[in-house]
Amino acid sequence: MFQYKDLEIWFSAGSQHLYGPETLRQVSANTQAVADFLNKAGLPVKLVFKPIVTTPDEITALCREANYAANCIGVITWLHTFSPAKMWIAGLSILEKPLLQLHTQFNEVIPWDSMDMDFMNLNQTAHGGREFGFIGARMRKPLSVVTGYWKNKKVQEKVAIWMRVAAALHAEKHLKVARFGDNMREVAVTEGNKVSAQLKFGYSVNTHAVGDLVGVISSITQGEIDALINEYEESYTLAPCTQVNGEKRQNVIEAARIELGIKKFLEQGKFGAFTNTFEDLYGMKQLPGIASQRLMQQGYGFGPEGDWKTSALIHVFKFMAKGLPGGTSLMEDYTYDFTQGNELVVGAHMLEICPSIAEGKPLLDVQHLGIGGKDDPVRLRFSAKPGPAINASLIDIGNRFRLITNELETVKQPHPLPKLPVACAVWKAKPSLDVSVEAWCAAGAAHHSAYTQALTMDYIRLYARLHHIELLEVNENTDITQFQKEILWNEVAYANS
Ligand code: MN
């Protein structure tokens, strides 16, 4: 998997030769100073200063080199002076990486007493940036614009969001999703066109025989298993039946072997995400529970029942959110509490919820699972931290991909679930349970989603925009009548996306 520290974003100012060499020298020095400052400001990806570009050929060369530089994940430009935008057409038409216009000024405040025409020749963002905006719009480029003084924290936060989304797009383009088994039989929403997904998002999705995975699981040594069980004992509270000499201890040993085997398989094949299905576990003793949970926590995408779209989305969200507070997990709408005025959704899955969203120390437990016909699987039990979160579901609507989000407020689990041994999150859906569900179903969103406490809609909107995929948002302001019209209109707006 990629590391943020290995990635870079190129930073260059656009100008022209109208103002003489002294102005260009100053533009260059200022751009370098801004890059140096921002690199010390704690942004997630480093900025690499590139010489200013002043002619169509220089601009085109910059864009061409950015395309071919393996670690360059995007370009930031600053129209410090006016840079006539027809000069940018050739370059922008080939640029394949995300582009941000930093609409800033070297000076924060206007020097009212000293400002003269030399100052105006040097500092032209207010109009130069708008000329650049026009060509972005004219070329239908998904240009991002961040406006404000470069030392301002809010400006840096917006740049950081863009950087993280650009980094996630880069990781997504190189993502390999391994599928163990096909989709759960007869399930519709987890299906989709894998070629279309690769064309749109860049990731590949391929099937690998469960027997090959079982071969790797069988190769795990007792020493490796012992070390992992030590880690379990340090990280979790162990239910009595799972402790040394407990009646289910052997299940824990087997679960550790499965976790190590899946991880080894994923590492050997450089996979960043995987799926499995309880209908195809041939040769495995348990459905992987704790394995999927812990691998998600390490950044792997996971989708149950062959759900490769959710698996890939979880990996992408996790990569975007690396180092941010709050977790990201697979989620499934499990059941409702229809108490009037306090309607709740319980989100869970039969095993595979990521402990990155947990409040407190998870309980490692072994309990019977009514489907799959295998040994009782090991799972981590916990409830999710209260606070705001988002559910996101990616579906294949036939001629395109559609992303649907629902903002929600996770609440403290009101009652224990002594007889339902799963990890769960309990939330209030926005704007209300009924409107949320009616909108979700009208949009065709799945019962599986990527649940994230770490990302805000700013990240997800930018992700959708850079991919030019349809995004339907269910939130505090959702009106169901309007939402249904939006679905209808989007048939035209996204017909060729
Ligand atoms: Mn499911």
Side-chain angles (χ1 to χ4, degrees):
M1 286 189 221
F2 292 98
Q3 304 295 325
Y4 274 70
K5 65 177 172 50
D6 300 326
L7 306 176
E8 54 188 48
I9 283 169
W10 289 10
F11 183 44
S12 175
S15 191
Q16 61 174 328
H17 283 278
L18 192 63
Y19 319 109
E22 175 52 28
T23 298
L24 292 184
R25 197 197 57 73
Q26 197 59 49
V27 167
S28 183
N30 290 354
T31 309
Q32 176 86 67
V34 170
D36 290 347
F37 182 88
L38 291 177
N39 274 331
K40 288 179 191 140
L43 293 173
V45 182
K46 69 172 169 289
L47 285 176
V48 175
F49 168 78
K50 292 285 166 184
I52 61 169
V53 286
T54 55
T55 65
D57 286 348
E58 286 173 4
I59 292 165
T60 305
L62 176 78
C63 294
R64 189 171 53 234
E65 285 160 26
N67 280 345
Y68 286 99
N71 293 336
C72 170
I73 59 163
V75 175
I76 298 182
T77 189
W78 173 22
L79 288 305
H80 192 311
T81 65
F82 201 84
S83 181
K86 288 203 289 188
M87 300 201 309
W88 287 81
I89 290 176
L92 294 187
S93 65
I94 60 164
L95 183 65
E96 291 166 349
K97 300 200 170 167
L99 176 65
L100 177 106
Q101 183 200 150
L102 182 59
H103 195 96
T104 192
Q105 288 180 164
F106 198 66
N107 55 303
E108 183 178 20
V109 297
I110 292 177
W112 298 96
D113 291 341
S114 62
M115 187 160 64
D116 58 11
M117 282 317 290
D118 286 346
F119 180 93
M120 284 314 306
N121 281 338
L122 179 62
N123 299 290
Q124 302 189 56
T125 303
H127 44 287
R130 288 164 199 252
E131 164 76 354
F132 193 76
F134 168 75
I135 207 64
R138 178 66 178 80
M139 294 176 72
R140 305 327 192 241
K141 279 268 170 189
L143 173 68
S144 299
V145 184
V146 170
T147 307
Y149 186 52
W150 47 286
K151 288 184 180 172
N152 183 325
K153 273 282 163 217
K154 208 172 146 200
V155 167
Q156 291 163 18
E157 280 163 19
K158 285 185 181 177
V159 172
I161 290 172
W162 178 85
M163 283 178 161
R164 285 178 171 279
V165 175
L169 257 57
H170 180 79
E172 187 179 43
K173 201 170 271 182
H174 296 84
L175 172 63
K176 293 170 66 182
V177 183
R179 307 180 75 218
F180 302 117
D182 201 352
N183 300 78
M184 181 179 165
R185 286 185 283 275
E186 304 289 4
V187 173
V189 77
T190 56
E191 295 283 357
N193 190 316
K194 299 192 280 290
V195 175
S196 300
Q198 190 163 355
L199 288 167
K200 175 57 83 178
F201 304 108
Y203 57 72
S204 66
V205 184
N206 287 294
T207 296
H208 292 267
V210 178
D212 289 341
L213 173 61
V214 169
V216 179
I217 291 170
S218 310
S219 75
I220 300 300
T221 65
Q222 193 57 46
E224 290 172 285
I225 293 170
D226 292 344
L228 185 57
I229 287 179
N230 278 342
E231 195 180 322
Y232 289 173
E233 285 179 341
E234 281 165 18
S235 311
Y236 315 116
T237 304
L238 269 67
C241 68
T242 68
Q243 293 170 5
V244 181
N245 302 325
E247 64 197 88
K248 299 290 184 184
R249 184 67 173 185
Q250 191 54 41
N251 299 49
V252 180
I253 293 167
E254 200 51 46
R257 188 196 314 280
I258 291 172
E259 177 181 333
L260 289 161
I262 298 175
K263 185 163 185 185
K264 195 168 180 183
F265 190 102
L266 297 176
E267 282 177 346
Q268 284 173 349
K270 296 189 163 55
F271 297 105
F274 68 107
T275 70
N276 58 22
T277 167
F278 65 90
E279 288 174 337
D280 191 353
L281 298 173
Y282 193 83
M284 291 173 74
K285 293 189 175 158
Q286 298 170 23
L287 176 62
I290 191 171
S292 303
Q293 294 181 294
R294 285 172 43 87
L295 288 167
M296 259 191 280
Q297 189 162 26
Q298 291 162 42
Y300 290 98
F302 171 74
E305 294 110 33
D307 189 347
W308 52 269
K309 295 190 297 299
T310 302
S311 179
L313 190 63
I314 288 171
H315 174 76
V316 170
F317 278 8
K318 280 179 174 286
F319 193 84
M320 221 181 264
K322 230 177 210 191
L324 295 177
T328 297
S329 176
L330 165 76
M331 194 54 72
E332 180 172 280
D333 300 274
Y334 226 44
T335 191
Y336 303 130
D337 188 323
F338 277 139
T339 301
Q340 275 197 28
N342 191 30
E343 290 88 348
L344 298 173
V345 182
V346 176
H349 205 259
M350 54 191 177
L351 299 173
E352 310 94 336
I353 299 296
C354 177
S356 66
I357 66 168
E359 183 171 54
K361 197 175 189 179
L363 173 73
L364 185 150
D365 198 6
V366 175
Q367 296 275 348
H368 182 63
L369 185 70
I371 56 174
K374 295 284 174 178
D375 291 351
D376 297 342
V378 181
R379 80 286 305 273
L380 297 172
R381 298 170 61 179
F382 53 85
S383 55
K385 272 189 205 112
I390 299 167
N391 272 335
S393 168
L394 181 70
I395 59 163
D396 180 338
I397 197 73
N399 59 343
R400 63 184 187 274
F401 291 97
R402 170 183 284 168
L403 187 61
I404 305 99
T405 54
N406 188 190
E407 291 174 55
L408 48 95
E409 187 69 28
T410 306
V411 299
K412 199 168 167 54
Q413 188 179 322
H415 302 284
L417 286 165
K419 300 208 168 159
L420 186 71
V422 296
C424 67
V426 181
W427 66 78
K428 284 177 184 288
K430 290 183 180 178
S432 59
L433 179 59
D434 56 338
V435 175
S436 152
V437 176
E438 287 162 25
W440 195 259
C441 291
H447 53 280
H448 289 163
S449 53
Y451 165 101
T452 180
Q453 305 163 332
L455 301 176
T456 63
M457 285 307 299
D458 290 340
Y459 293 85
I460 298 173
R461 286 184 197 119
L462 181 57
Y463 170 78
R465 196 161 78 84
L466 292 179
H467 275 314
H468 191 55
I469 57 168
E470 180 186 5
L471 172 65
L472 288 167
E473 297 184 40
V474 185
N475 58 31
E476 200 55 62
N477 303 316
T478 297
D479 171 272
I480 192 68
T481 310
Q482 209 56 35
F483 190 81
Q484 283 163 342
K485 285 182 190 167
E486 190 179 337
I487 291 174
L488 194 63
W489 297 332
N490 281 0
E491 288 296 341
V492 181
Y494 289 93
N496 300 313
S497 63

PDB file of all heavy atoms in Angstrom, residues 304-305 332 349 447-448, ligand 1:
ATOM      1  N   PRO A 304     -18.424  -8.082   2.233  1.00  0.00           N
ATOM      2  CA  PRO A 304     -18.957  -9.438   2.406  1.00  0.00           C
ATOM      3  C   PRO A 304     -19.852  -9.813   1.235  1.00  0.00           C
ATOM      4  O   PRO A 304     -20.279  -8.944   0.466  1.00  0.00           O
ATOM      5  CB  PRO A 304     -19.767  -9.316   3.699  1.00  0.00           C
ATOM      6  CG  PRO A 304     -20.229  -7.892   3.709  1.00  0.00           C
ATOM      7  CD  PRO A 304     -19.201  -7.072   2.965  1.00  0.00           C
ATOM      8  N   GLU A 305     -20.140 -11.094   1.113  1.00  0.00           N
ATOM      9  CA  GLU A 305     -21.053 -11.585   0.078  1.00  0.00           C
ATOM     10  C   GLU A 305     -20.642 -11.124  -1.316  1.00  0.00           C
ATOM     11  O   GLU A 305     -21.475 -10.808  -2.168  1.00  0.00           O
ATOM     12  CB  GLU A 305     -22.499 -11.132   0.391  1.00  0.00           C
ATOM     13  CG  GLU A 305     -23.076 -11.747   1.656  1.00  0.00           C
ATOM     14  CD  GLU A 305     -23.254 -10.731   2.782  1.00  0.00           C
ATOM     15  OE1 GLU A 305     -23.530  -9.564   2.504  1.00  0.00           O
ATOM     16  OE2 GLU A 305     -23.090 -11.105   3.954  1.00  0.00           O
ATOM     17  N   GLU A 332     -23.934  -2.287   7.600  1.00  0.00           N
ATOM     18  CA  GLU A 332     -25.176  -2.770   7.004  1.00  0.00           C
ATOM     19  C   GLU A 332     -26.326  -2.301   7.881  1.00  0.00           C
ATOM     20  O   GLU A 332     -26.249  -2.395   9.105  1.00  0.00           O
ATOM     21  CB  GLU A 332     -25.164  -4.305   6.916  1.00  0.00           C
ATOM     22  CG  GLU A 332     -26.429  -4.886   6.296  1.00  0.00           C
ATOM     23  CD  GLU A 332     -26.312  -6.395   6.040  1.00  0.00           C
ATOM     24  OE1 GLU A 332     -25.703  -6.784   5.027  1.00  0.00           O
ATOM     25  OE2 GLU A 332     -26.811  -7.176   6.867  1.00  0.00           O
ATOM     26  N   HIS A 349     -23.165  -6.108  11.117  1.00  0.00           N
ATOM     27  CA  HIS A 349     -23.104  -7.179  10.129  1.00  0.00           C
ATOM     28  C   HIS A 349     -22.953  -8.448  10.931  1.00  0.00           C
ATOM     29  O   HIS A 349     -22.744  -8.391  12.140  1.00  0.00           O
ATOM     30  CB  HIS A 349     -21.962  -6.980   9.124  1.00  0.00           C
ATOM     31  CG  HIS A 349     -22.222  -7.675   7.828  1.00  0.00           C
ATOM     32  ND1 HIS A 349     -21.656  -8.877   7.501  1.00  0.00           N
ATOM     33  CD2 HIS A 349     -23.036  -7.339   6.808  1.00  0.00           C
ATOM     34  CE1 HIS A 349     -22.114  -9.245   6.307  1.00  0.00           C
ATOM     35  NE2 HIS A 349     -22.951  -8.336   5.865  1.00  0.00           N
ATOM     36  N   HIS A 447     -27.786  -2.128   0.844  1.00  0.00           N
ATOM     37  CA  HIS A 447     -27.865  -2.373   2.291  1.00  0.00           C
ATOM     38  C   HIS A 447     -26.473  -2.373   2.905  1.00  0.00           C
ATOM     39  O   HIS A 447     -26.320  -2.289   4.109  1.00  0.00           O
ATOM     40  CB  HIS A 447     -28.577  -3.701   2.569  1.00  0.00           C
ATOM     41  CG  HIS A 447     -28.001  -4.868   1.832  1.00  0.00           C
ATOM     42  ND1 HIS A 447     -28.276  -5.127   0.516  1.00  0.00           N
ATOM     43  CD2 HIS A 447     -27.139  -5.817   2.218  1.00  0.00           C
ATOM     44  CE1 HIS A 447     -27.622  -6.212   0.130  1.00  0.00           C
ATOM     45  NE2 HIS A 447     -26.910  -6.648   1.142  1.00  0.00           N
ATOM     46  N   HIS A 448     -25.448  -2.496   2.070  1.00  0.00           N
ATOM     47  CA  HIS A 448     -24.063  -2.348   2.536  1.00  0.00           C
ATOM     48  C   HIS A 448     -23.603  -0.915   2.293  1.00  0.00           C
ATOM     49  O   HIS A 448     -23.955  -0.326   1.283  1.00  0.00           O
ATOM     50  CB  HIS A 448     -23.103  -3.256   1.756  1.00  0.00           C
ATOM     51  CG  HIS A 448     -23.254  -4.706   2.070  1.00  0.00           C
ATOM     52  ND1 HIS A 448     -22.743  -5.686   1.253  1.00  0.00           N
ATOM     53  CD2 HIS A 448     -23.831  -5.357   3.114  1.00  0.00           C
ATOM     54  CE1 HIS A 448     -23.006  -6.867   1.773  1.00  0.00           C
ATOM     55  NE2 HIS A 448     -23.672  -6.705   2.900  1.00  0.00           N
TER      56      HIS A 448
HETATM   57 MN    MN B   1     -24.392  -8.304   4.125  1.00  0.00          MN
END
